[in-house]
Each structure stands twice: as structure tokens, then as C-alpha cells.
Amino acid sequence: MEITIQKSNQLKSIAILMMLFLHLFNQDYKDLFEPIFFVGKQPLSYYISLFCDACVPIFAFVSGYGLYFKYVQNPKIYGNANNTRLKKLYINYWIILLLFAVILGFFLSKPGYPGSFLKFFLNITAISPTYNGAWWFLTVYILFVLNSAFWFQLLNKLNPYFFLIILLVVYGIAFYFRIYKDSLFENPILQWLHLQTALYFCTLMQFMLGAFALKFKWYSKISQLFVQISFKNIIVLSLIAVLVIFHGFVTNFIVAPLTALGFIFLFLQLNIPLFINNLLDFFTPHATNIWLIHMFFYMIYFKEFIYSPKYVIPIFLFLIGCCVISSYVVNFANRIILKKLKIK
């Protein structure tokens, strides 16, 4: 495995933290927070948040990389292993849904939480997880886990350049129907099918890039380019800054897979100090929970509370703190349930 499990988990943690920054600061700052640094008419935080739309492509890449590694190890048990993976994911998800959407929604008298039986059913199955806007990727990820073997078989059979071109074309078409033609149907079932199809195929290329990277040893090949470079950290950080500036000029998030891929392989070249390694490792058991929880804090229930520090860094740290504390509770409940059900 070229990219270690530790580095994969660190990339997931970074992706989730980027998601928080994106959601907090990629919006009009008036009456929400007070930026200190500006680039032209926009706060610096806005341009950083633009770059942070690489969060989903990074998470999808790492997911594709890890699942393809499992598939290559033993295709025969891959399906059963994925069933266990989904059981664990659903249990974790149900704990968060119960605590935040049902119990907290009931006590705070939030309209629509938990809502009708149909809404509850669509959320608890993750068919249409509308309690939380950040949960859209949950459905997509579940579908990837269920049918990833099909895509991995294609990767092993097709010409890689041909397959990559197909994925790129599909991404462009899906992006168009996700962003520019997102309301083609009035029928709710057809509208749901349209949305889920667009989201799935808009993310598929990024997921499969992870599998491509493992199969064709992209990490090793890119690392060879950096072996003889002096002041490697400075060069890498400068290149990451170039990606941020590039996205500042090209604001359409259609480029997110490109900036994400660039960031992933640049990050992997960094010689990271021990305390940063430890900090990123700290988030490993909390990353999924932070993704599934954070929107309840900053948007649904406690928006004024989260933005109360008024400044970018304190707001960001405030949200992280609330999510991590909540994650400890979720993980505690999760361990008890998994032990009771004897799921390993």
C-alpha cells in the first residue's frame, strides 16, 4: 500500500476540517463574523474557503484508494467485508441521527425534526438524508461501497486512458445536471433520481482516481520527482499556495477535483513536524462524526452561538470543539452497541 493508513486517515481529517471551513466562511460575512484580512473586496477567509471545496474530492479519493486496496487484497471476501463496513457506518449514523435529529430536535421544538414518519424513514435508511445538508455524501458513499467492485473490475479490464477519459466526460455531464439543470422534474421520485444520479456520477471520477493512484503507483512516481529537491517543504507549501490562488481566479468548483488531487500529492511530500502529525492523528476517530454532526451546530440549531466569537479562527476552533466533544459521546455509545452486537 503506497499511501499508508496513517496518511490516508490524515487526509480524511484534513478533508473534514476543510469542510467545516468551507461551510462556515464561504458566505456573506456581514452580521456573521468580522474578517481581519482582505484580498481586494473579499476577506482572505473567502478564498481559503473556496479552496476548501476540495474536501469531498479528497474524501472520495481516499475512499476509492482504500476500497480498491481491500478489493485487490481479496476480491472473494470483498463483498462480505463491505457488508460489515456498512453495518458499522449505519450504527454510527443512527446514533447521531437519534441524538441530534430526533432527541435534540424534539426538545428544541425545531420544525421538521424529526418530522413525518416518511421523512424519518428516508433519513434513517439514508435514501434521502434531509435532516442535514452535509449528509448527501453519505448516500453516495453507501452506493460506492455497494457497487465499487463493478468499477474496480472495469479498471482492471479497460485501457486506463480510455477509462479516465470516460470518467472525465461523465463528471462534466453530471456536474452540468447537478448545478445548471437541477430542477428538471416536478415529480418528487424523479427529482430524487435526478439528484442522486447527478451526485453519484459527479463524485465517481474522484472516487476512482484513488483506485487509479494505487494501481499505477502515482505516489511513488510523484515522490521520485521530489527526491532531489532542496527545501522541499518550502517548495511544496508554495505550490499549495499556487493552487489556492488558482482557485481564487477560477471560482467555479468544477475544478475542485483538480485542486484536490494536487493538494493530496503535495501534502504527501511534506515532512510534517511531530506535533502536527499527532494533531491530525487525534482527529482520526472523530472525522466521520465531525462530518455528520457539524451542520447541526453551525446552521440548524446553534448558529448564533457558533458565530458568537466573531472572528474566523475562534469560530473555526469553537465549531471543532463542539463537534469533538459530541464525537466522544457518539463513539462511547458506538463502542457499547458494537460490543453488544459482536460486530468487529
Side-chain angles (χ1 to χ4, degrees):
M1 193 171 187
E2 287 210 298
I3 302 174
T4 65
I5 294 175
Q6 181 192 31
K7 287 300 179 183
S8 294
N9 286 330
Q10 288 181 354
L11 282 167
K12 281 187 179 180
S13 297
I14 291 171
I16 299 305
L17 295 175
M18 290 171 78
M19 181 182 292
L20 267 61
F21 201 93
L22 169 68
H23 290 167
L24 283 171
F25 305 116
N26 190 21
Q27 54 186 306
D28 188 358
Y29 62 89
K30 294 177 182 178
D31 300 322
L32 273 183
F33 60 96
E34 299 178 12
I36 297 176
F37 303 104
F38 282 78
V39 179
K41 295 181 180 180
Q42 291 285 1
L44 177 61
S45 58
Y46 166 76
Y47 291 105
I48 296 174
S49 71
L50 272 182
F51 179 73
C52 286
D53 66 13
C55 56
V56 170
I58 293 172
F59 199 92
F61 175 96
V62 174
S63 299
Y65 192 98
L67 286 175
Y68 185 64
F69 176 74
K70 296 291 185 183
Y71 176 79
V72 171
Q73 274 189 318
N74 196 333
K76 293 182 179 179
I77 66 169
Y78 182 70
N80 289 333
N82 279 348
N83 290 336
T84 302
R85 183 175 289 107
L86 288 180
K87 287 178 185 177
K88 291 181 178 179
L89 177 61
Y90 264 109
I91 289 170
N92 196 83
Y93 169 61
W94 287 338
I95 293 168
I96 292 170
L97 186 149
L98 180 64
L99 290 175
F100 284 88
V102 178
I103 297 175
L104 198 56
F106 174 79
F107 279 105
L108 294 177
S109 299
K110 184 72 174 178
Y113 292 83
S116 67
F117 175 78
L118 177 61
K119 182 176 183 178
F120 177 76
F121 173 78
L122 293 175
N123 274 273
I124 202 167
T125 55
I127 292 173
S128 181
T130 55
Y131 285 146
N132 187 310
W135 288 359
W136 69 265
F137 184 72
L138 179 66
T139 309
V140 172
Y141 177 77
I142 291 169
L143 292 173
F144 282 153
V145 173
L146 289 173
N147 55 40
S148 54
F150 168 77
W151 297 110
F152 295 157
Q153 288 168 11
L154 285 183
L155 175 60
N156 291 340
K157 292 177 181 178
L158 295 179
N159 177 285
Y161 297 104
F162 175 69
F163 192 22
L164 199 55
I165 290 171
I166 290 175
L167 290 171
L168 183 61
V169 171
V170 168
Y171 169 70
I173 295 171
F175 185 89
Y176 175 78
F177 281 100
R178 177 187 176 186
I179 302 300
Y180 301 108
K181 293 290 183 180
D182 60 336
S183 300
L184 290 179
F185 305 101
E186 294 184 3
N187 181 285
I189 296 177
L190 293 177
Q191 177 62 18
W192 176 85
L193 285 172
H194 168 254
L195 175 63
Q196 293 303 323
T197 302
L199 290 173
Y200 180 88
F201 286 104
C202 207
T203 317
L204 177 63
M205 182 185 73
Q206 301 142 48
F207 176 80
M208 288 304 298
L209 285 175
F212 270 86
L214 176 58
K215 182 176 177 64
F216 299 105
K217 302 185 183 302
W218 288 359
Y219 172 67
S220 294
K221 293 174 181 177
I222 292 172
S223 296
Q224 290 175 5
L225 301 176
F226 286 87
V227 169
Q228 302 299 327
I229 293 179
S230 302
F231 308 106
K232 185 168 69 171
N233 274 12
I234 295 175
I235 299 296
V236 169
L237 291 173
S238 298
L239 290 173
I240 291 174
V242 169
L243 289 176
V244 177
I245 294 169
F246 164 75
H247 204 352
F249 283 104
V250 184
T251 57
N252 193 310
F253 77 95
I254 194 172
V255 302
L258 173 64
T259 55
L261 194 63
F263 174 82
I264 288 167
F265 286 102
L266 288 171
F267 168 78
L268 293 172
Q269 301 305 317
L270 286 171
N271 296 317
I272 300 177
L274 180 61
F275 78 95
I276 295 181
N277 259 316
N278 292 338
L279 180 62
L280 291 174
D281 291 342
F282 166 79
F283 285 109
T284 294
H286 303 292
T288 298
N289 292 336
I290 294 173
W291 156 37
L292 296 173
I293 288 170
H294 75 279
M295 194 167 280
F296 287 112
F297 281 103
Y298 92 91
M299 175 179 284
I300 298 171
Y301 296 133
F302 308 113
K303 184 174 182 178
E304 291 184 2
F305 176 69
I306 293 299
Y307 282 100
S308 62
K310 291 299 181 183
Y311 296 98
V312 170
I313 294 178
I315 291 169
F316 185 54
L317 295 177
F318 205 22
L319 180 57
I320 291 173
C322 290
C323 291
V324 169
I325 291 171
S326 301
S327 178
Y328 275 109
V329 176
V330 172
N331 285 341
F332 176 75
N334 196 25
R335 284 194 297 270
I336 293 174
I337 294 171
L338 292 177
K339 186 176 180 179
K340 290 286 184 182
L341 296 176
K342 298 180 180 180
I343 298 176
K344 296 182 179 179

